[in-house]
Amino acid sequence: MALDTLKHKGKRNKLIQLLRSKGIGDEMVLEAMNQVPRHLFIDSIFEDLAYEDKAFPILSGQTISHPYTVAFQTQLLHVQRGEKILEIGTGSGYQTAVLVALGAQVFTIERQKELFEFSKKILKKIHFPPKYQTFGDGYQGISCFAPFDKIIVTAGAPNVPKMLLQQLAIGGIMVIPIGDEAQKMYTILKLDINTFETMEFGDYQFVPMLENKEL
Ligand code: SAH
C-alpha cells in the first residue's frame, strides 16, 4: 500500500478547508499541514478518521492533539524559515513534522521512551527530520543548543518552566498551555532578559507535562 494515497490527500485538503473555516488564517501553516500525512502518526485503526478534527490516543497513554490545536499553536509561533524551535512533548511527532515543513530547525524532547522511538522512526521514514531529537525531561530544555527563537510546549504545564524562559532568545516567543486539569493557551514574548509580555488565548485540554518523575 502506498504511504500517502490520493484518497488521503483529498481528505487532507478537506481538513485544511475546515481549519480555515474555523478561523485559522495563516496560509503558510495550512500549507505545511497539507504536506504532512497525519494518518501515519496514529494507530491504523483510526486511519479513516485521521483527517477529522479529532484527538486520538497514541502510545504510553498520551494523545495526538486536534489538528485545530496544532494549527492554532503553530500560528501563534509565527515561524520563519531557518528559525531554531524547541518543542516539548514530541509525542507522535506530528507537530514536529509541521514545524519541519515550515522550514524550521526543530529540537524536540519526549519523556516517554516508546514515543521517542516511534516518532523518530516515522519522521525519518517520511522525510521530515528534526535537527535534534532526544529522550528526556522537557523542564530542563536543551541548554547546549539555546537560545531558541521559539519554544512550543504541547503538554499542559502547571506553571512556566524557568529553564525554558532562560533558553528563549530575546525577541523570541513561547507558546504554552498552562493549567492542571484544563489549560489556557498563552504566548510569552521575551522582551529582555527578565522582561516578558504574556497574552492569553482561550481554553484547551492537554495531557499533563510531568515533573520530577523517573524517566
Ligand atoms: N505534539 C504531540 C502531542 C503529544 S501529547 C503530537 O503531535 O503528537 C504531549 C506529549 O508530552 C506526550 O507525549 C508526553 O509524554 C510529553 N511530555 C509530558 N511531560 C513531558 C516532559 N516533562 N518532558 C518531555 N515530554 C513530556
Side-chain angles (χ1 to χ4, degrees):
M1 194 188 86
L3 272 179
D4 192 21
T5 64
L6 274 179
K7 191 171 135 211
H8 293 121
K9 288 182 176 143
K11 286 187 177 183
R12 197 147 70 236
N13 258 304
K14 289 218 173 84
L15 171 63
I16 299 306
Q17 285 170 33
L18 176 71
L19 295 175
R20 210 180 267 119
S21 76
K22 287 186 173 181
I24 302 297
D26 186 331
E27 288 298 324
M28 304 275 280
V29 171
L30 292 171
E31 175 49 37
M33 289 182 70
N34 211 5
Q35 288 176 37
V36 181
R38 186 173 187 253
H39 64 281
L40 299 177
F41 290 84
I42 60 182
D43 194 292
S44 57
I45 58 170
F46 301 121
E47 182 170 340
D48 283 348
L49 303 173
Y51 295 102
E52 298 197 3
D53 191 14
K54 291 199 163 92
F56 296 103
I58 51 176
L59 296 168
S60 308
Q62 305 302 314
T63 310
I64 184 173
S65 302
H66 288 76
Y68 179 82
T69 304
V70 172
F72 191 73
Q73 281 197 286
T74 309
Q75 189 168 264
L76 290 175
L77 276 182
H78 295 287
V79 179
Q80 309 290 318
R81 289 198 80 79
E83 277 186 336
K84 281 170 68 184
I85 301 190
L86 174 63
E87 179 192 36
I88 311 298
T90 320
S92 66
Y94 176 70
Q95 169 78 71
T96 317
V98 171
L99 296 171
V100 172
L102 279 164
Q105 304 180 58
V106 186
F107 300 75
T108 184
I109 313 179
E110 171 56 54
R111 74 180 291 285
Q112 298 283 354
K113 193 72 178 260
E114 54 180 357
L115 280 169
F116 164 69
E117 278 159 7
F118 171 87
S119 57
K120 205 171 169 103
K121 219 180 279 168
I122 185 67
L123 289 166
K124 186 166 178 213
K125 188 167 172 187
I126 64 169
H127 309 295
F128 285 92
K131 192 91 181 163
Y132 181 77
Q133 185 162 7
T134 188
F135 166 59
D137 177 13
Y139 280 90
Q140 307 304 313
I142 313 179
S143 55
C144 60
F145 291 115
F148 297 97
D149 300 303
K150 310 281 164 68
I151 298 181
I152 177 171
V153 179
T154 68
N159 47 49
V160 186
K162 273 213 181 67
M163 303 279 272
L164 299 186
L165 286 177
Q166 281 171 14
Q167 291 177 26
L168 186 62
I170 291 173
I173 301 172
M174 183 182 330
V175 176
I176 180 168
I178 299 177
D180 292 324
E181 302 287 291
Q183 295 82 35
K184 292 211 185 288
M185 192 67 76
Y186 289 90
T187 57
I188 301 173
L189 173 62
K190 186 165 178 172
L191 297 171
D192 207 338
I193 191 149
N194 274 320
T195 316
F196 299 92
E197 189 178 283
T198 300
M199 284 174 76
E200 191 194 300
F201 293 89
D203 298 313
Y204 286 84
Q205 188 99 47
F206 284 82
V207 295
M209 181 171 176
L210 298 172
E211 199 169 11
N212 299 329
K213 295 262 167 83
E214 289 292 311
L215 287 173

